[in-house]
Amino acid sequence: QVRVMESGGGSVQPGGSLTLSCTTSGSTRTIDAMVWYRQSAGEARDPVAVLTLEGSTEYLGSAKGRFTLSRDGAKSTVYLRMDHLMPEDTGVYLCKVPGITWGQGTQVTVSS
């Protein structure tokens, strides 16, 4: 069925940047609200950034001031720009869209 698809992860040095993308399989619907989660090895998922139905954005913990949410014009893709990356940002980033099956996530590794 329709699933979330995440991409854009990779391995970077501390202080580097990455931009993650979240869309639905086949781009079959708009993303009206979502939550980016980070899951570190052996840990529960932690919310990182939130897009509400009203269009507002919220950033949690150390993501504030470093991460930025945005959408394309068709609202089919949500982006998470991550700047000034630190080792503690390492983990699998997952995009939760209400009513849509979880994707596999995209790995972000920050190491020197």
Side-chain angles (χ1 to χ4, degrees):
Q1 307 304 322
V2 177
R3 303 179 68 92
V4 166
M5 299 174 60
E6 302 98 340
S7 62
S11 182
V12 298
Q13 299 288 315
S17 298
L18 288 170
T19 298
L20 309 183
S21 299
C22 171
T23 189
T24 58
S25 57
S27 299
T28 55
R29 60 178 292 170
T30 59
I31 300 176
D32 299 310
M34 58 81 62
V35 181
W36 278 105
Y37 290 88
R38 179 184 63 245
Q39 185 167 28
S40 301
E43 303 291 337
R45 290 186 295 268
D46 295 320
V48 174
V50 180
L51 172 66
T52 72
L53 285 171
E54 293 73 32
S56 63
T57 56
E58 301 177 15
Y59 305 93
L60 286 80
S62 63
K64 293 181 179 178
R66 300 189 299 123
F67 293 4
T68 305
L69 283 167
S70 62
R71 284 186 293 191
D72 68 357
K75 300 183 180 180
S76 61
T77 305
V78 173
Y79 303 98
L80 181 67
R81 178 170 179 169
M82 306 185 295
D83 294 316
H84 308 291
L85 284 163
M86 301 181 292
E88 53 261 47
D89 297 317
T90 294
V92 175
Y93 283 74
L94 298 145
C95 174
K96 175 57 182 171
V97 179
I100 306 298
T101 302
W102 291 92
Q104 294 184 344
T106 185
Q107 176 72 43
V108 171
T109 302
V110 185
S111 62
S112 58

